[in-house]
């Protein structure tokens, strides 16, 4: 392989994401909706970090909070996790339309309309991606996502023998967290990837 030849499957950037939600549907394929009962849950905050896939340097960050739409379910157990009350979101949050404009604008800036987006996150394909698609589609926006994503839950189990994000983030030296913050957790995901690559380079001479 020549020095400048890009490997098969190469991508310039990946998007580390994390969301906090109004709750979730347990035991269903899509955690944002219970198709049996019709109960829908929404995202209430997003942390997004654009990362250079080669250097793993952060390129740009975005944090947003979203008002409750009044139609989705509100689970007090979820509120205890993130600490974002209905009153707080009503005063400080964006509308769903404003949130979609901000997120879609960030994605289009680095991926354009045709390049598939590679996501990174903790359980990103089984949780965050569903909520991201639901939010974007609420405003009629479709974003092309790739079929390869970076899941730090898998990295944690395979490399560090962890079973949850709290233990994994602790192992790689992330700050202790009380309430979950979406941007902090997206940054933690990036840290997991950086630390793991650094360890691999040390072990294998990369």
């Amino acid at each position: 392989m020549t020095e400048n030849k890009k490997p098969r499957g190469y991508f310039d950037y990946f998007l580390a994401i994390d969301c906090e939600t109004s709750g979730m549907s347990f035991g269903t394929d899509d955690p944002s909706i219970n198709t049996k009962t019709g109960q829908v849950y929404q995202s209430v905050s997003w942390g997004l970090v654009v990362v250079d896939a080669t250097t793993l340097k952060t390129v740009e960050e975005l944090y947003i909070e979203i008002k409750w739409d009044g139609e989705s379910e509100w689970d007090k157990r979820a509120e205890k996790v993130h600490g974002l009350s209905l009153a707080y979101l009503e005063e400080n949050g964006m509308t769903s339309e404003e949130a979609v404009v901000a997120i879609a604008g960030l994605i289009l800036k680095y991926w354009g309309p045709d390049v598939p987006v590679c996501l990174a996150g903790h359980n990103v394909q089984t949780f965050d991606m569903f909520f991201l698609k639901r939010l974007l589609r609420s405003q009629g926006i479709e974003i092309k996502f790739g079929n390869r994503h970076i899941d730090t839950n898998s990295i944690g189990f395979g490399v560090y023998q962890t079973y949850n994000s709290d233990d994994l983030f602790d192992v790689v030296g992330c700050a202790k967290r009380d309430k979950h913050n979406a941007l902090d957790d997206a940054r933690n995901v990036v840290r997991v990837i950086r630390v793991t690559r650094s360890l691999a380079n040390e072990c294998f001479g990369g």
Side-chain angles (χ1 to χ4, degrees):
M1 184 175 71
T2 62
E3 184 177 350
N4 295 324
K5 186 177 180 181
K6 295 178 180 178
R8 183 165 55 89
Y10 174 89
F11 44 87
D12 291 311
Y13 305 103
F14 65 84
L15 183 64
I17 65 172
D18 186 79
C19 71
E20 298 302 329
T21 70
S22 66
M24 66 175 290
S25 176
F26 293 90
T28 58
D29 292 337
D30 180 347
S32 71
I33 183 171
N34 187 322
T35 54
K36 293 181 179 179
T37 65
Q39 293 174 304
V40 174
Y41 299 90
Q42 71 165 91
S43 52
V44 296
S45 68
W46 282 95
L48 301 99
V49 183
V50 179
V51 181
D52 184 298
T54 301
T55 66
L56 299 186
K57 291 183 178 179
T58 295
V59 178
E60 188 169 344
E61 296 183 338
L62 175 66
Y63 176 69
I64 59 175
E65 296 169 338
I66 306 170
K67 298 179 187 294
W68 182 52
D69 62 14
E71 299 179 359
S72 60
E73 299 295 315
W74 188 268
D75 191 330
K76 285 290 187 179
R77 293 173 297 179
E79 183 179 334
K80 287 181 179 179
V81 172
H82 53 66
L84 302 173
S85 68
L86 290 172
Y88 172 86
L89 291 172
E90 182 59 32
E91 182 175 352
N92 298 282
M94 294 181 175
T95 65
S96 293
E97 181 179 4
E98 291 169 334
V100 168
V101 168
I103 293 173
L106 180 71
I107 291 174
L108 289 172
K109 180 178 178 180
Y110 293 97
W111 285 269
D114 300 317
V115 177
V117 181
C118 172
L119 297 175
H122 202 81
N123 298 316
V124 68
Q125 287 178 274
T126 56
F127 188 80
D128 305 90
M129 180 184 282
F130 282 101
F131 280 95
L132 182 55
K133 287 182 176 180
R134 175 167 294 279
L135 175 62
L136 294 170
R137 288 171 178 169
S138 73
Q139 305 301 317
I141 301 296
E142 288 288 341
I143 294 293
K144 183 183 293 186
F145 295 101
N147 58 4
R148 297 172 179 170
H149 302 284
I150 306 163
D151 179 15
T152 53
N153 182 57
S154 298
I155 293 174
F157 177 76
V159 179
Y160 304 102
Q161 298 182 10
T162 58
Y163 291 84
N164 57 73
S165 61
D166 288 330
D167 290 344
L168 174 60
F169 294 163
D170 183 58
V171 165
V172 300
C174 298
K176 296 287 186 182
R177 57 182 180 174
D178 179 19
K179 302 298 184 183
H180 287 204
N181 175 274
L183 182 55
D184 286 344
D185 283 353
R187 289 169 174 165
N188 289 345
V189 161
V190 177
R191 180 172 176 81
V192 169
I193 297 168
R194 287 175 181 155
V195 169
T196 306
R197 181 179 288 186
S198 178
L199 290 172
N201 287 342
E202 287 184 22
C203 290
F204 304 114

